[in-house]
Amino acid sequence: MSTNKLPKIGFVYLDYVMRFFDYSNFKGWPEKIEEVTYHWKNDKDRFIKEVKRKKIEVLIGNIPATAYETFRDIAKALPEVRFIPSIETQFSNKSKENVTIFCEKHGIPIPKTRIFYDLAKGDEYLKSCFYPQIVKRSYGASNYGGYFVHKVDNYKEARALFDKKKYNPIYTQDAIPLKDSGDIRVMLIGHKPICAFWRYSGDGEWITNTSQGGDMNYNNVPMSALEVAVQASKAAKAEFWACDIGIDENTGKAYIIECATAFAAFPYVRDWICQYLMWDLSNGKFRLPHVPLFSWEELGKMDPAILRTLRHLYFSKYTPSADGEIYMSESFCVVTTTIDDVKIARALAESVIEAHLSACVQIIPGVTSYFQWQDKIEMSQELLLQFKTTEQCAEKLMQYIKKS
């Protein structure tokens, strides 16, 4: 492979901060990859000079919240250098408040959130607001999980929490009644979901962070969660991205709880990210990794020892699958219906796919339907069918379902 047009890459490292990428993630990159380490305090000028001296064209690495403003200045001083992720993309890494600002700016659904720098006004709000509330420390080091996230059920608990923790500003959200008492982590590369799973709280706990005793399940991740994750990733212009998403058990609506480029990624996910970056930076000389949608459902069936070997896999030449084409297009949509017989549901799903009217059909059990029949409110247990298709095929699909 000719290396004449490959850019000079450098890893951004910071003292005392976990490294997200290293050389092992860039298997096959023929050029030397530089390192530039930021040493905190007054190290900005030295860091800029080192990047220039090493003639680095692309700097790769997440910036922690406490260094975000400094790296905004560094990026301005290095206008010819591409940062991956960009400083703009990493805006929501800085604070919970930035996540809220980002989502509100781009019309991405989030729980009702209030932020008060006037603590007296915040206290008045806490006296009259809906409970339970989710209280978060707005600003701090990246990747601190749920250790600074709290649930309060009334004003007395909220007041005691703020008196103890001294959080400023007051950052508080309406608690969503979470479907199945869990939330969903979605990881994306190039705006495409490559891994998604439910996170459930541990015994006696309410928080779903798996580092604090929760469980994971890769099955039955709803399309609504994937769609809002894609919306957020595109808005952030992110090469890689992760969202934590809550599904309201009453309405089925998906809400962003957290989103950032800094997240706890499995080793093989970091490899897949870097394979994507190698494809991007080489103008297609390296192969584009292809991770089919919903392939993550197979991960839950694997022994951890096998999962560790995934990072030694490489992908064949990329050919978009039908479901992948839908996500790469702006015209995808989802058609839903309910059926009360599993055999009929499976037969319909198979026939629709054979007719090339849907790329993928999900059959979700355990749906409770309420409806009016002969002037009475009835209830039945049904199966929810979700058909992923394009806007061009949607009308034909709906007519096909009606005739079946």
Side-chain angles (χ1 to χ4, degrees):
M1 178 186 296
S2 172
T3 63
N4 292 338
K5 295 185 179 180
L6 294 178
K8 187 70 170 293
I9 292 176
F11 292 129
V12 177
Y13 293 142
L14 294 91
D15 288 340
Y16 318 116
V17 176
M18 181 180 69
R19 297 183 173 190
F20 197 71
F21 298 123
D22 62 28
Y23 301 102
S24 70
N25 302 122
F26 277 80
K27 297 183 186 71
W29 188 260
E31 295 266 355
K32 178 183 178 182
I33 300 178
E34 300 284 356
E35 295 182 11
V36 189
T37 302
Y38 181 73
H39 301 304
W40 300 95
K41 295 185 179 179
N42 298 315
D43 195 42
K44 181 169 60 178
D45 291 340
R46 185 209 60 80
F47 182 93
I48 292 169
K49 289 177 182 177
E50 184 174 353
V51 172
K52 291 180 176 179
R53 178 174 59 80
K54 292 182 175 180
K55 300 180 180 180
I56 294 171
E57 299 170 90
V58 180
L59 278 171
I60 300 173
N62 282 313
I63 308 303
T66 44
Y68 179 78
E69 295 300 331
T70 297
F71 270 82
R72 285 186 64 186
D73 294 338
I74 290 173
K76 290 176 182 177
L78 298 168
E80 303 302 320
V81 176
R82 175 182 173 184
F83 284 75
I84 299 179
S86 72
I87 302 302
E88 177 189 4
T89 296
Q90 297 192 59
F91 175 79
S92 60
N93 291 9
K94 180 183 175 182
S95 67
K96 309 297 184 187
E97 180 176 354
N98 279 24
V99 171
T100 300
I101 294 170
F102 165 76
C103 290
E104 290 180 345
K105 176 182 178 181
H106 295 286
I108 300 167
I110 56 171
K112 179 182 177 182
T113 304
R114 297 298 302 272
I115 304 167
F116 296 94
Y117 281 87
D118 185 325
L119 302 186
K121 288 185 178 180
D123 187 69
E124 288 300 313
Y125 176 77
L126 293 170
K127 289 177 180 178
S128 59
C129 67
F130 163 87
Y131 282 95
Q133 288 282 302
I134 303 299
V135 173
K136 303 177 182 180
R137 186 177 77 174
S138 176
Y139 179 81
S142 301
N143 289 331
Y144 54 72
Y147 294 101
F148 300 100
V149 179
H150 316 270
K151 183 179 180 182
V152 291
D153 292 316
N154 51 58
Y155 171 73
K156 183 178 179 181
E157 290 183 9
R159 186 66 267 154
L161 174 68
F162 282 105
D163 287 343
K164 179 180 179 181
K165 297 293 185 179
K166 309 297 184 185
Y167 290 160
N168 188 1
I170 290 176
Y171 181 105
T172 186
Q173 290 181 326
D174 284 2
I176 301 171
L178 292 174
K179 177 178 170 60
D180 299 331
S181 300
D183 66 8
I184 299 165
R185 167 67 59 87
V186 182
M187 303 178 191
L188 307 96
I189 301 175
H191 311 314
K192 180 181 176 182
I194 56 93
C195 187
F197 51 87
W198 287 90
R199 308 188 306 172
Y200 301 110
S201 57
D203 291 340
E205 299 290 338
W206 68 272
I207 198 159
T208 59
N209 195 292
T210 52
S211 67
Q212 293 166 256
D215 296 319
M216 297 165 51
N217 189 317
Y218 292 94
N219 296 318
N220 299 321
V221 172
M223 280 294 297
S224 59
L226 304 183
E227 288 166 359
V228 75
V230 170
Q231 180 187 359
S233 177
K234 288 182 176 181
K237 303 175 184 176
E239 293 88 357
F240 55 93
W241 189 251
C243 300
D244 294 339
I245 297 169
I247 306 293
D248 189 313
E249 67 176 359
N250 297 321
T251 66
K253 185 174 181 178
Y255 295 90
I256 292 285
I257 298 174
E258 305 285 355
C259 57
T261 64
F263 54 94
F266 309 122
Y268 55 85
V269 170
R270 293 198 292 269
D271 281 350
W272 294 348
I273 291 170
C274 290
Q275 287 180 28
Y276 174 83
L277 295 180
M278 288 168 64
W279 166 81
D280 181 23
L281 296 172
S282 67
N283 293 318
K285 290 184 178 181
F286 284 89
R287 291 174 288 186
L288 176 66
H290 175 47
V291 185
L293 285 174
F294 297 99
S295 62
W296 52 77
E297 292 185 351
E298 300 302 314
L299 298 178
K301 305 173 185 177
M302 296 183 184
D303 183 274
I306 297 176
L307 285 178
R308 283 192 289 272
T309 67
L310 280 177
R311 64 175 313 204
H312 301 296
L313 293 179
Y314 204 88
F315 295 91
S316 61
K317 184 177 179 180
Y318 176 61
T319 302
S321 63
D323 56 352
E325 287 255 72
I326 287 174
Y327 262 107
M328 293 173 69
S329 165
E330 295 291 340
S331 63
F332 73 88
C333 64
V334 179
V335 175
T336 64
T337 190
T338 56
I339 294 177
D340 59 6
D341 186 291
V342 66
K343 291 183 179 179
I344 296 175
R346 289 174 177 171
L348 177 60
E350 291 175 3
S351 65
V352 164
I353 291 175
E354 288 174 356
H356 303 290
L357 294 174
S358 175
C360 176
V361 183
Q362 288 181 292
I363 300 176
I364 303 172
V367 174
T368 303
S369 296
Y370 289 85
F371 54 93
Q372 191 167 29
W373 177 254
Q374 295 181 347
D375 297 325
K376 293 182 180 180
I377 302 297
E378 302 286 348
M379 179 189 77
S380 67
Q381 294 295 314
E382 296 183 297
L383 301 155
L384 175 66
L385 277 71
Q386 294 183 330
F387 302 84
K388 290 178 283 185
T389 188
T390 61
E391 292 178 358
Q392 293 87 340
C393 288
E395 185 61 35
K396 291 181 181 178
L397 172 60
M398 288 187 284
Q399 292 300 324
Y400 186 94
I401 294 170
K402 289 177 182 179
K403 293 177 182 178
S404 299

